[in-house]
Amino acid sequence: MTALELFPELENPQCRSTKPKEGRSFTGSYLATCNLWVLWVSCGIFCRFVEAAENPQDKPVIVWTNGGPGCSSVGGGLMTELGPFFAQEDGTLKANPWSWNNVANVIFVEHPVGVGFSYSNDTSFYNDITDADDTADFYTFIQGWYARFPQYLNNPLWITGESYGGHYVPHFLQSIVQGNEAIAAGNGAPGAKTLNAKGMLVGNAWTVAELDNAGAAFYWWSHGLVSDSNYLGIFKACNMSNVGPLRRLSGGKTPFMPALQMSMAALEAAEASGRTFDQSCDYYQNAAMDSFNNVDIYDVYADVCVDSTGTKQLKPQAAAMARAAGLPIPTSSAVQVKAAGDDTTGGTADNAGGCWADYEPCIGGFVNTYLNRPDVQAAIHAKPTKWTDCSNIINYDRTSLLTSMLPVYEDLLTKGLSLLVYSGDVDAIVPVTGTRTWLDALDLPIAEEWRPYFVHQQVGGFVETYKGLTFATVRNAGHLVPGTQPARALHMVKHFINGKKL
Amino acid sequence: MKVIAATLLAAAAFVSADPAARIVDLPGWNDSSFDMYSGYINVRGAAQLAAVHL
């Protein structure tokens, strides 16, 4: 039974369209959105739902999550990547012609509890959050969402995200599949509905620590960002399965796991010639960061954000995974990006090949200002909050962070789902080289050979289809693919969720 | 202010009152060609509902 069933007055249109009164406080927790009825919850997941621009009743439903772990999907995905508008410096919102709500109904979910506007009255929930904890909360959340919007129960459902979404997205999809199976077996959660999950799309996905890390080091070397000695030193000194991702660090790490045979062979050859690599992993990682200190690790060919004082801004996501891994937070990383040399002007959705010329590399600051405005928080029915893009109050479980996701993929591959792994090819934090390595480890037969795909006469990227899984690169896209190559990203999602070839 | 509260027990599965109320008058945005909603969904423990007489 839902609260709407218990209290049908909540459906009162006057109630739904009335903002909370400012200055009114209630003991407990969050207040909902009407004058007469107030709901407070003990542990709330906040979401923004954007209906499709046309015929929403006929469009799929997409759940989007950012990564971190601990970064906001409202501040990130909605307001800087794939939502219908982006924040501007003057406090207004600017339309995004490549919004994903051109092709789907999109839910942006703030999770785990403690991230963005989501919260818990019991702050112990912020400690040692595991993938399993977060996944259980997600399943409850998505069932609650469908209880509110049952008209979408039969529409195809897709789970999407990026970065640490490499854990979130497969886990969330698996929870829905398992929930459906439990319902079919007669032992589903009370009140749970069967959901029409079709598959997932996940980009620059943190998946297998040792392979993603080794891929990152290889990417840095192959893109001319670090020296030979620095690269080989990383492979010699770092335990790739125990850090994540590689970044500026202090504190020692030890043995080396050979993820890329080419790198190992190069290291052995160098040592055979008499060269030594006897510094610590921290030393080599910090040396790498020093080497490309002024390059955005999230988009190596993009401009970095320099604020009005001439100071580079730390990208919020840069700190999140280091914090989750219990590692020192990097102090010098670039922020938001702009595709280098691409001044294509904006056009209609899916009608331009390059990056949005008006993309603002410092947009993160604008979003922070906007979402902390009391009038904005009231309008979006959020609990008054000191909103931050990436949470500094949650403590994510390190074991979860370092656990391989390949067993989850192996399970999902047996369920008849459509899986798309995509990779912005100028990201250096969870780069395409690592992704291709762990895809290789899945050892899937090729169903369609590697080929380019085109977005308005230009190569949008390359695609290879395996049995049960499609892999696509997005050319000249950084870690935040929909934000750095919005037209190519929209092309990709539109085609994939509609069962068409890229 | 008189408050009458009713507790929705955990047995009331997937409490979902007002998880996503429609957004109106979003500052800086005047496109009404599609609807947007936002709000909270309780995911652990009991949620409470109160009638507030103003």
Side-chain angles (χ1 to χ4, degrees):
Chain A
M1 178 177 292
T2 70
L4 280 175
E5 291 166 327
L6 286 172
F7 300 93
E9 293 86 345
L10 283 169
E11 281 287 75
N12 181 331
Q14 180 182 358
C15 175
R16 290 175 58 196
S17 62
T18 305
K19 295 177 184 176
K21 291 187 178 298
E22 289 186 19
R24 189 174 301 282
S25 63
F26 294 85
T27 301
S29 55
Y30 172 56
L31 349 165
T33 58
C34 59
N35 284 341
L36 295 178
W37 292 94
V38 175
L39 171 75
W40 64 83
V41 298
S42 58
C43 181
I45 294 286
F46 185 79
C47 68
R48 292 277 296 272
F49 172 48
V50 181
E51 281 193 336
E54 296 180 355
N55 304 316
Q57 70 279 5
D58 299 325
K59 296 283 175 40
V61 173
I62 284 177
V63 173
W64 171 267
T65 176
N66 281 77
C71 296
S72 164
S73 301
V74 169
L78 173 63
M79 299 203 68
T80 72
E81 296 187 66
L82 56 123
F85 46 69
F86 297 151
Q88 298 190 97
E89 190 169 19
D90 64 0
T92 60
L93 300 176
K94 182 169 186 173
N96 168 22
W98 299 287
S99 172
W100 287 16
N101 85 317
N102 285 295
V103 297
N105 304 283
V106 188
I107 307 167
F108 298 88
V109 55
E110 301 258 75
H111 72 98
V113 290
V115 171
F117 292 112
S118 295
Y119 74 95
S120 174
N121 287 337
D122 182 350
T123 56
S124 70
F125 289 175
Y126 300 159
N127 298 327
D128 301 321
I129 300 170
T130 66
D131 282 351
D133 294 334
D134 187 43
T135 302
D137 284 347
F138 170 79
Y139 187 71
T140 305
F141 162 82
I142 196 68
Q143 288 287 346
W145 187 87
Y146 275 104
R148 171 64 179 83
F149 294 97
Q151 65 269 36
Y152 292 109
L153 268 169
N154 293 324
N155 296 41
L157 170 64
W158 297 87
I159 311 298
T160 70
E162 68 194 11
S163 192
Y164 198 73
H167 280 225
Y168 296 148
V169 171
H171 275 310
F172 291 179
L173 180 59
Q174 187 183 46
S175 76
I176 292 171
V177 171
Q178 290 175 346
N180 288 348
E181 291 173 347
I183 292 168
N187 58 359
K193 304 290 188 185
T194 299
L195 306 183
N196 189 21
K198 295 299 185 185
M200 70 179 200
L201 298 84
V202 63
N204 295 84
W206 179 253
T207 302
V208 185
E210 57 265 40
L211 303 183
D212 285 317
N213 278 326
F218 182 75
Y219 190 95
W220 300 347
W221 176 79
S222 62
H223 287 68
L225 298 169
V226 297
S227 70
D228 294 348
S229 293
N230 196 163
Y231 166 63
L232 294 175
I234 287 173
F235 271 83
K236 174 72 175 183
C238 295
N239 176 358
M240 299 291 188
S241 65
N242 199 37
V243 295
L246 290 172
R247 57 177 70 250
R248 182 180 298 279
L249 298 169
S250 61
K253 305 295 175 190
T254 42
F256 159 63
M257 177 176 179
L260 294 176
Q261 296 304 316
M262 174 180 165
S263 305
M264 189 63 187
L267 177 62
E268 290 173 350
E271 289 186 312
S273 70
R275 295 175 65 185
T276 58
F277 305 93
D278 54 5
Q279 298 289 337
S280 68
C281 178
D282 291 3
Y283 172 86
Y284 290 115
Q285 286 187 79
N286 288 338
M289 293 302 109
D290 287 341
S291 178
F292 59 99
N293 191 36
N294 291 296
V295 172
D296 186 348
I297 196 171
Y298 291 82
D299 191 331
V300 297
Y301 301 126
D303 293 340
V304 299
C305 173
V306 179
D307 69 16
S308 58
T309 68
T311 305
K312 286 194 306 175
Q313 299 298 310
L314 173 66
K315 197 164 197 168
Q317 293 88 340
M321 198 174 287
R323 183 181 296 112
L327 302 172
I329 297 170
T331 56
S332 58
S333 181
V335 68
Q336 308 291 347
V337 295
K338 178 177 182 178
D342 191 338
D343 61 353
T344 305
T345 54
T348 58
D350 195 16
N351 192 33
C355 190
W356 193 2
D358 293 337
Y359 190 86
E360 171 53 65
C362 298
I363 192 174
F366 306 159
V367 171
N368 187 69
T369 299
Y370 184 81
L371 288 178
N372 278 299
R373 285 169 48 178
D375 59 339
V376 170
Q377 293 189 359
I380 64 175
H381 318 306
K383 173 187 176 183
T385 300
K386 176 68 178 76
W387 181 90
T388 58
D389 192 7
C390 292
S391 174
N392 55 15
I393 61 172
I394 70 162
N395 175 23
Y396 209 87
D397 175 58
R398 176 178 168 81
T399 300
S400 292
L401 183 91
L402 299 175
T403 298
S404 169
M405 290 299 295
L406 295 189
V408 178
Y409 275 86
E410 289 164 351
D411 178 51
L412 294 175
L413 285 163
T414 68
K415 304 300 183 183
L417 300 161
S418 296
L419 312 177
L420 173 66
V421 173
Y422 65 87
S423 189
D425 66 6
V426 293
D427 173 33
I429 190 77
V430 189
V432 63
T433 41
T435 299
R436 295 181 75 172
T437 306
W438 62 255
L439 284 172
D440 183 64
L442 284 172
D443 197 24
L444 299 172
I446 294 175
E448 184 184 357
E449 295 286 347
W450 179 273
R451 64 170 174 80
Y453 66 91
F454 294 84
V455 181
H456 297 277
Q457 288 87 44
Q458 301 298 324
V459 173
F462 299 86
V463 59
E464 187 164 48
T465 305
Y466 304 95
K467 185 179 180 182
L469 185 148
T470 298
F471 170 62
T473 69
V474 183
R475 194 165 67 90
N476 197 21
H479 190 66
L480 312 175
V481 170
T484 53
Q485 287 292 346
R488 291 170 185 171
L490 181 63
H491 171 95
M492 180 177 64
V493 66
K494 182 174 78 172
H495 284 69
F496 191 74
I497 67 176
N498 287 298
K500 297 178 180 177
K501 288 188 175 183
L502 270 58
Chain B
M1 182 176 68
K2 178 182 178 185
V3 177
I4 304 169
T7 299
L8 302 178
L9 301 176
F14 306 126
V15 171
S16 62
D18 204 294
R22 193 165 69 86
I23 297 171
V24 295
D25 298 331
L26 182 66
W29 185 250
N30 56 12
D31 183 346
S32 59
S33 62
F34 55 87
D35 283 337
M36 295 185 290
Y37 301 80
S38 63
Y40 290 87
I41 291 175
N42 191 52
V43 293
R44 296 192 218 181
Q48 293 183 313
L49 193 68
V52 180
H53 295 256
L54 302 174

